[in-house]
Amino acid sequence: MGAQLRVYKRRIKSVTATKKITKAMEMIAASRIIKAQRKVDASTPYADELTGAVTAVAYSASDVKHPLTTEVERPVRAALLLITSDRGLAGGYSSNAIKASESLTAKLVAEGKQVDHYVVGRKGVSYYTFRERPLQESWTGFTDSPEYSDAKAIAAPLIAAIERETADGGVDELHIVFTEFRSMMTQTPVERRMLPLTLSRTAEDSAAVFAKGASVHALYEFEPGAEQVLDALLPRYVESRIYNALLQSAASEHAARRRAMKSATDNAEDLIKSLTRLANAARQADITQEISEIVGGASALADATAGSDR
């Protein structure tokens, strides 16, 4: 029984140390969520207004063929940007984004399109590397605190691909998969088509953008011309959308990690309580056994003494 009690004590000590780590990680993630959420709130209006301005120019230049707005009659190639995390211990954050990416990839392939993958985050890179699937580009090391310079670095090869400035001819569409931060408890993987812009007034996703674009178009004239303005706005549009997606994903990662670490801390507390009960039961069994041995020894000694007196 003594050996069993020592085992319980060692396990309690180990779980207590783990609980301290998970509790610290939970508190760190909680403190970072607020900062990440503020960045999301600050970047979203700029990205929305820029999209509205780009849409306004696109409407005014409906007769201009530009990669920002021109639908290819038979698209055969698409670029897909996936945003995951560099670190683990965030529950299903990265795996859910990867599942959404795989679902979109299957859909695009079913439409007869070749898909070029661009991945942000070590988790996504590891997923494709382990399966020996090619990546066009990958970026790591900044997913929990992205800067605008990171978005520019990601946007550069994507813009070159959509403008067909790459050696293999470029792509016809540009899609992005990231995790949208909706609340502290809800983060949802979403996919968006960034290019070409959807200019249909009946498209549900573009209704708000259309309204903004129409109002901008009514107020401004574009110089030197719509095509030149589109050329200037194309990199800004892509960079702002990628930056917003990076910030949304960072906030989602911190929220997912906080939730996962809180769950781990709660599980550690439950395990400590369970092990403590088992340890107490083992200690009580040791005490009971010792008392029984003492009583048995005393009884045997009394019997031996009584026999010698006869």
Side-chain angles (χ1 to χ4, degrees):
M1 285 295 182
Q4 188 177 16
L5 181 60
R6 287 193 294 272
V7 170
Y8 287 138
K9 287 183 176 180
R10 282 197 299 268
R11 291 188 64 187
I12 291 172
K13 184 177 180 180
S14 175
V15 174
T16 301
T18 301
K19 176 189 168 183
K20 291 180 180 179
I21 295 172
T22 57
K23 184 64 177 179
M25 294 183 67
E26 176 190 349
M27 295 176 67
I28 292 171
S31 66
R32 289 177 175 175
I33 292 173
I34 304 301
K35 183 178 180 181
Q37 191 174 5
R38 287 174 181 169
K39 286 187 175 182
V40 171
D41 293 339
S43 72
T44 300
Y46 172 78
D48 290 344
E49 290 297 332
L50 182 57
T51 302
V54 170
T55 305
V57 185
Y59 272 105
S60 69
S62 58
D63 57 338
V64 176
K65 290 189 176 296
H66 193 278
L68 188 67
T69 60
T70 303
E71 293 275 358
V72 177
E73 184 176 351
R74 293 182 179 178
V76 296
R77 194 173 177 189
L80 194 160
L81 174 63
L82 167 64
I83 300 177
T84 62
S85 66
D86 285 322
R87 299 186 294 131
L89 301 178
Y93 164 75
S94 291
S95 61
N96 289 337
I98 291 172
K99 288 178 183 177
S101 174
E102 291 291 82
S103 177
L104 177 58
T105 298
K107 177 183 175 183
L108 295 173
V109 170
E111 294 173 356
K113 301 169 187 174
Q114 175 187 337
V115 181
D116 293 344
H117 290 94
Y118 298 77
V119 178
V120 176
R122 291 191 178 92
K123 291 298 179 179
V125 173
S126 297
Y127 176 86
Y128 284 93
T129 301
F130 179 77
R131 288 160 179 77
E132 298 182 347
R133 294 168 61 181
L135 294 175
Q136 296 297 114
E137 296 278 353
S138 63
W139 302 267
T140 60
F142 54 81
T143 59
D144 60 345
S145 184
E147 301 292 340
Y148 195 82
S149 57
D150 301 317
K152 291 185 68 174
I154 296 169
L158 294 172
I159 293 171
I162 200 71
E163 290 183 333
R164 303 184 181 280
E165 295 178 357
T166 56
D168 50 4
V171 298
D172 303 313
E173 298 176 354
L174 174 56
H175 300 260
I176 183 171
V177 175
F178 64 98
T179 305
E180 185 178 44
F181 181 85
R182 297 184 177 177
S183 69
M184 297 287 282
M185 297 302 297
T186 306
Q187 303 86 43
T188 307
V190 295
E191 61 93 0
R192 298 281 188 270
R193 193 182 81 166
M194 287 198 293
L195 295 174
L197 282 174
T198 300
L199 301 180
S200 171
R201 184 188 286 263
T202 60
E204 181 180 352
D205 292 340
S206 62
V209 173
F210 174 86
K212 289 183 179 181
S215 64
V216 173
H217 186 208
L219 293 174
Y220 297 100
E221 293 182 0
F222 302 99
E223 295 292 344
E227 186 174 5
Q228 289 79 3
V229 174
L230 285 174
D231 287 337
L233 289 180
L234 174 60
R236 302 292 178 267
Y237 165 75
V238 176
E239 290 166 6
S240 66
R241 278 299 166 191
I242 291 176
Y243 183 52
N244 184 258
L246 288 172
L247 293 177
Q248 295 260 10
S249 297
S252 299
E253 178 184 348
H254 293 314
R257 182 167 291 112
R258 173 189 171 276
R259 191 166 58 250
M261 291 301 98
K262 185 180 186 307
S263 178
T265 301
D266 293 342
N267 290 338
E269 290 178 352
D270 293 340
L271 184 55
I272 290 172
K273 290 178 182 178
S274 177
L275 291 172
T276 300
R277 285 195 295 268
L278 292 173
N280 290 338
R283 184 183 298 108
Q284 186 64 44
D286 282 349
I287 294 172
T288 301
Q289 183 176 352
E290 290 176 1
I291 292 174
S292 298
E293 290 174 353
I294 292 171
V295 171
S299 177
L301 181 60
D303 292 343
T305 303
S308 62
D309 289 342
R310 293 196 191 103

